[in-house]
């Protein structure tokens, strides 16, 4: 991690797409398109800022160990404390339990049946079902969770739902909403001290570009300060 450069870790897809307008609001343009370039380190028009493209679940690791100074990650992949996150309110979705339309989830829970649940988010699922006293066998999957109930691998899935179209296309129904999710900006605490002068304007620009801050500004409130000070 170089002292005169800052590195922002993003994952391709929704997080990248929805972070771009926040960067633009700070006057920052990424100079190469992630889908058209094979590069994993993308330059920007900010002389000190590079964007690195990593898997969504690796963003907290890069930030924690200083491979990146800051990153945007979902609430479902939180870094350990003391990374005080700033909720950017982008890539909003929810973490839900879904089952096949012909599976009587309410009855299975009421009867105390053991339910097989496939998910990538094992820790969140374990905590949720334990808090409800529902007996579950958790099966870890890395993708295409919707397939699990359709093939008989599991009775239910725990997955991210945005429009609900993927569930609908696979004849699955949402039966529990575990939590609302939006993406957060996390910052390496060492970088926050050592590179404060470089990071501060960027953090303030992010804080002022969130939908909530923009709504407050148009309602005449004072501009938001970065929450990561
Ligand atoms: P949708 O059809 O819009 O409900 O989107 C559901 C699919 O997109 C599922 O495969 C989810 O795993 C994935 N998904 C939805 N929201 C997100 C998100 N914020 N980040 C990553 N994957 C998501």
């Amino acid at each position: 991690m170089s002292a005169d450069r800052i590195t922002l870790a993003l994952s391709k897809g929704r997080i990248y797409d929805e972070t771009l307008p926040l960067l633009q609001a700070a006057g920052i343009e990424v100079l190469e398109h992630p889908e058209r370039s094979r590069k994993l380190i993308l330059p920007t028009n900010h002389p000190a800022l590079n964007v690195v493209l990593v898997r969504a679940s690796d963003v907290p690791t890069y930030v924690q160990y200083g491979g990146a100074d800051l990153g945007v990650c979902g609430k479902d992949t939180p870094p350990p404390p003391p990374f005080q996150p700033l909720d950017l309110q982008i890539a909003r979705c929810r973490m839900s339990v879904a089952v096949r339309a012909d599976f009587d989830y309410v009855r299975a829970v009421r009867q105390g049946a053991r339910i097989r649940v496939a998910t990538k988010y094992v820790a969140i699922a374990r905590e949720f079902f334990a808090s409800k006293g529902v007996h579950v066998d958790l099966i870890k999957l890395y993708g295409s969770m919707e397939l699990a109930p359709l093939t008989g691998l599991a009775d239910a899935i725990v997955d991210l739902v945005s429009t609900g179209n993927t569930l609908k296309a696979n004849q699955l129904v949402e039966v529990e909403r575990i939590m609302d999710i939006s993406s957060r900006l996390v910052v390496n605490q060492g970088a926050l001290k050592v590179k404060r002068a470089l990071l501060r304007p960027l953090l303030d620009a992010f804080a002022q570009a969130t939908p909530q801050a923009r709504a407050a500004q148009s309602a005449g409130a004072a501009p938001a300060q970065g929450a990561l000070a």
Side-chain angles (χ1 to χ4, degrees), residues 121-162:
Y121 309 101
V122 173
I124 290 172
R126 181 178 296 116
E127 195 181 321
F128 173 73
F129 288 112
S131 74
K132 287 181 64 89
V134 175
H135 304 289
V136 290
D137 288 321
L138 292 171
I139 302 172
K140 167 93 183 181
L141 286 182
Y142 294 87
S144 301
M145 277 158 275
E146 298 84 6
L147 255 184
L150 305 182
T151 56
L153 178 68
D155 304 308
I157 59 171
V158 167
D159 194 10
L160 299 175
V161 181
S162 180

Side-chain angles (χ1 to χ4, degrees), residues 14-15 76 91-94 120-121 145-146 159-167 181 183:
R14 261 189 94 183
I15 286 189
D76 49 307
R92 298 178 83 116
C93 59
R94 54 196 186 269
K120 188 155 91 175
Y121 309 101
M145 277 158 275
E146 298 84 6
D159 194 10
L160 299 175
V161 181
S162 180
T163 60
N165 291 340
T166 307
L167 293 181
I181 304 248
S183 291

Side-chain angles (χ1 to χ4, degrees), residues 7-221:
T7 303
L8 167 66
L10 297 176
S11 54
K12 280 192 199 177
R14 261 189 94 183
I15 286 189
Y16 181 87
D17 296 343
E18 296 188 26
T19 301
L20 277 194
L22 302 185
L23 288 172
Q24 279 159 3
I28 295 166
E29 301 282 342
V30 183
L31 299 177
E32 295 202 36
H33 194 283
E35 302 301 341
R36 289 196 285 272
S37 163
R38 286 178 178 270
K39 285 186 186 166
L40 296 173
I41 302 180
L42 306 178
T44 73
N45 64 344
H46 184 304
L49 178 70
N50 281 335
V51 168
V52 293
L53 297 173
V54 303
R55 276 184 76 118
S57 52
D58 288 338
V59 169
T61 309
Y62 270 81
V63 174
Q64 182 181 0
Y65 293 105
D69 300 300
L70 65 174
V72 178
C73 58
K75 190 178 166 189
D76 49 307
T77 52
F83 293 83
Q84 308 131 347
L86 169 68
D87 189 350
L88 298 173
Q89 299 162 50
I90 59 169
R92 298 178 83 116
C93 59
R94 54 196 186 269
M95 178 88 64
S96 294
V97 182
V99 297
R100 264 168 57 157
D102 60 1
F103 180 78
D104 193 340
Y105 173 81
V106 174
R107 186 156 170 240
V109 168
R110 201 174 43 228
Q111 290 179 338
R114 227 181 155 77
I115 299 172
R116 277 216 296 192
V117 180
T119 186
K120 188 155 91 175
Y121 309 101
V122 173
I124 290 172
R126 181 178 296 116
E127 195 181 321
F128 173 73
F129 288 112
S131 74
K132 287 181 64 89
V134 175
H135 304 289
V136 290
D137 288 321
L138 292 171
I139 302 172
K140 167 93 183 181
L141 286 182
Y142 294 87
S144 301
M145 277 158 275
E146 298 84 6
L147 255 184
L150 305 182
T151 56
L153 178 68
D155 304 308
I157 59 171
V158 167
D159 194 10
L160 299 175
V161 181
S162 180
T163 60
N165 291 340
T166 307
L167 293 181
K168 211 160 156 191
N170 291 291
Q171 290 92 46
L172 300 176
V173 291
E174 200 174 352
V175 288
E176 304 256 25
R177 192 176 179 128
I178 299 177
M179 62 168 83
D180 290 323
I181 304 248
S182 56
S183 291
R184 279 122 211 280
L185 182 71
V186 290
V187 185
N188 178 281
Q189 295 300 288
L192 199 52
K193 291 192 187 91
V194 177
K195 304 186 187 179
R196 195 170 189 88
L198 276 175
L199 283 170
R200 191 72 263 171
L202 197 58
L203 298 180
D204 287 343
F206 266 110
Q208 284 166 29
T210 62
Q212 195 180 50
R214 281 206 301 265
Q217 282 157 32
S218 61

